[in-house]
Amino acid sequence: MDKFRIIGRQSLAGTLPVSGSKNSSLPAIAACLLTAEPVTLHRVPQVRDIATMLKLLEFNGATVERFPNGSVRIEAKTITNPEAPYEIVKTMRASSLVLGPLAARTGTARVSVPGGCSIGARPINLHINGLEHLGATVHQEHGNIEASAPNGLHGNTVHFERITVTGTEDLMMAAALAKGTTVLENAAREPEVVDLAELLTKMGAQISGAGTSRIVIEGVKQLHGAEHTIIPDRIEAGTLLIAGIMTNSEVTVTDCIPEHFTALLNKLRQAGARIDASDTAVQTRPSSRLRSVDMTTEEHPGFATDLQAQFMALMTVSSGISFITENIFENRFMHVPELARMGANIRIEGRQAIVAGPSDLTGAQVMCSDLRASASLVLTALVARGESILDRVYHMDRGYERIEAKLAAAGAHIERI
Ligand code: EPU
């Protein structure tokens, strides 16, 4: 099993380029199921979750062609297997994104119930309720959700009880081929939702309001092929930016859209980080002293839960007390005991972590427990004294494209062993 070996306390320099967004690519790939014509997606990151999603589409009957430059061509001429089996869903909860497209295209879909994962329960009840509002009959049997709409889906108003990113995406895809108008209320406003709406529009869908909490979709009879470039990964951009700040370095995070992570930039500035953002890059400069600030995760445009662990790593080297509140997932503090192994002083009280800094961090053997937790361990190891060994980096490989190569090119002592 791969591990990372990191020798801390090296400063970084140069550029840190950002890859295409994993969480935008996943629904974009699922959207390819909505048409018999080929769809070409550019800037799809080569990470494990994407490989899993492509495998799922092949299982559904699509032909997938990957190119070395990160482009993917998908042609779902016929759907032979409208199903997401347990073997695939258990490794990646986002596979529930095929539920809406399969039901809309074929009138039937069977998706294995995701079950929990290390960050929380991850239910999909809101996807199911939404599909029922569009006229599908849904029932659960033998661990599978079976949706059936033999006469097609019908537009309706769906009010999400709570904001869900993939739920909004799933329903937007289903509604694109439903008869009549669908209104999604209390919809997610994440940039990935907007990116999906752009792709669907290129495919012939009629969507307005993406990026606001009310999305209106006029169903069309069929969608056609398209070509689309995926937006930059705002979570990777934020992670690399925090790496530059924690190591007190002068680096430029390039090929990103800083407007997509304004909440992070605001918090970093409050903490005393020296950063300059342009339209497509963010530059960090060494700052004398970082101070602790409180942070609460929220739906977009609030502070992203996917950057909570990395921000906590930063707070371990900042002066003072920081209260970090996790509002989105109920169990997203798995990194805390591992950060403590490196000398961080953190106490958990319910949904809040209280970080006292700065800590004298030293390298240690630590265990990655989920994708973003792994990222926080890499960041902490970059500033800890001596050597750290990170076990189970396959979690990191689910969502970060060649992170060790990017950091090493900027001067970090990191290698895969
Ligand atoms: N929820 C429900 N019922 C549902 C769906 C969600 O109760 O049917 C709850 C969840 O349990 C959670 C909250 O609603 O407490 C928000 O979950 P959401 O559905 O928004 O999460 P998701 O769509 O499953 C996406 C990202 C996650 C990211 C969250 C929140 C993708 C593929 N995944 O998940 O990304 O943390 O939104 O922003 O887009 C990651 O990349 O590391 C990751 C976990």
Side-chain angles (χ1 to χ4, degrees), residues 27 43 51 76 108 148-149 159 192 204 229 240 266 288 319 324 369 389:
R43 210 181 180 190
T108 169
S148 151
H159 179 94
E192 293 76 18
T229 301
L240 295 173
N266 288 343
S288 49
S319 300
I324 294 180
S369 56
I389 303 287

Side-chain angles (χ1 to χ4, degrees), residues 54-351:
L54 292 173
K55 205 165 88 186
L56 175 55
L57 258 79
E58 283 180 326
F59 177 85
N60 297 144
T63 314
V64 174
E65 235 182 309
R66 288 212 78 160
F67 301 94
N69 66 356
S71 297
V72 182
R73 184 181 182 276
I74 298 168
E75 188 172 3
K77 228 179 231 165
T78 48
I79 306 287
T80 47
N81 243 338
E83 194 182 337
Y86 182 63
E87 287 64 41
I88 294 182
V89 176
K90 75 177 180 201
T91 63
M92 190 189 58
R93 264 100 203 134
S95 4
S96 48
L97 276 169
V98 300
L99 184 62
L102 288 175
R105 170 100 182 265
T106 70
T108 169
R110 183 195 286 160
V111 169
S112 180
V113 179
C117 77
S118 61
I119 64 173
R122 313 295 298 268
I124 57 164
N125 59 307
L126 302 173
H127 301 230
I128 295 167
N129 290 349
L131 274 182
E132 284 175 338
H133 274 80
L134 300 193
T137 309
V138 186
H139 72 278
Q140 186 177 333
E141 210 172 57
H142 308 302
N144 295 313
I145 304 284
E146 307 218 8
S148 151
N151 300 317
L153 298 168
H154 294 269
N156 198 355
T157 296
V158 176
H159 179 94
F160 290 106
E161 207 174 282
R162 78 171 281 181
I163 297 175
T164 161
V165 179
T166 52
T168 300
E169 293 163 347
D170 207 7
L171 266 289
M172 200 160 73
M173 291 188 276
L177 285 182
K179 281 188 206 97
T181 309
T182 298
V183 180
L184 302 181
E185 285 175 349
N186 200 26
R189 292 179 284 165
E190 269 66 5
E192 293 76 18
V193 173
V194 178
D195 200 30
L196 175 65
E198 278 181 21
L199 166 64
L200 291 171
T201 303
K202 287 178 188 166
M203 292 168 70
Q206 308 228 336
I207 302 175
S208 60
T212 74
S213 50
R214 187 172 187 272
I215 303 177
V216 180
I217 304 125
E218 300 285 347
V220 294
K221 274 219 169 76
Q222 61 182 35
L223 296 173
H224 51 72
E227 196 169 333
H228 181 70
T229 301
I230 299 291
I231 54 169
D233 196 308
R234 63 194 166 100
I235 306 303
E236 188 200 8
T239 305
L240 295 173
L241 183 58
I242 293 174
I245 295 167
M246 281 181 78
T247 55
N248 213 18
S249 304
E250 188 160 331
V251 293
T252 308
V253 177
T254 62
D255 310 290
C256 60
I257 303 179
E259 209 186 359
H260 288 171
F261 46 95
T262 306
L264 171 70
L265 295 177
N266 288 343
K267 277 291 159 197
L268 294 174
R269 288 191 177 112
Q270 277 174 32
R274 295 172 68 207
I275 45 182
D276 293 306
S278 70
D279 287 348
T280 56
V282 190
Q283 191 188 20
T284 67
R285 278 173 294 133
S287 44
S288 49
R289 198 176 144 102
L290 293 167
R291 46 185 181 271
S292 298
V293 287
D294 297 342
M295 184 276 280
T296 300
T297 63
E298 283 164 10
E299 293 88 359
H300 194 77
F303 195 103
T305 172
D306 290 345
L307 284 167
Q308 176 257 109
Q310 301 89 316
F311 189 79
M312 192 182 296
L314 177 71
M315 289 299 102
T316 67
V317 294
S318 306
S319 300
I321 305 285
S322 165
F323 288 83
I324 294 180
T325 310
E326 173 55 57
N327 271 331
I328 308 296
F329 290 108
E330 62 274 22
N331 189 28
R332 215 174 192 179
F333 287 141
M334 299 281 283
H335 42 286
V336 169
E338 302 303 306
L339 293 177
R341 286 183 54 72
M342 291 198 248
N345 184 357
I346 307 170
R347 196 170 76 219
I348 299 175
E349 282 185 8
R351 288 204 158 204

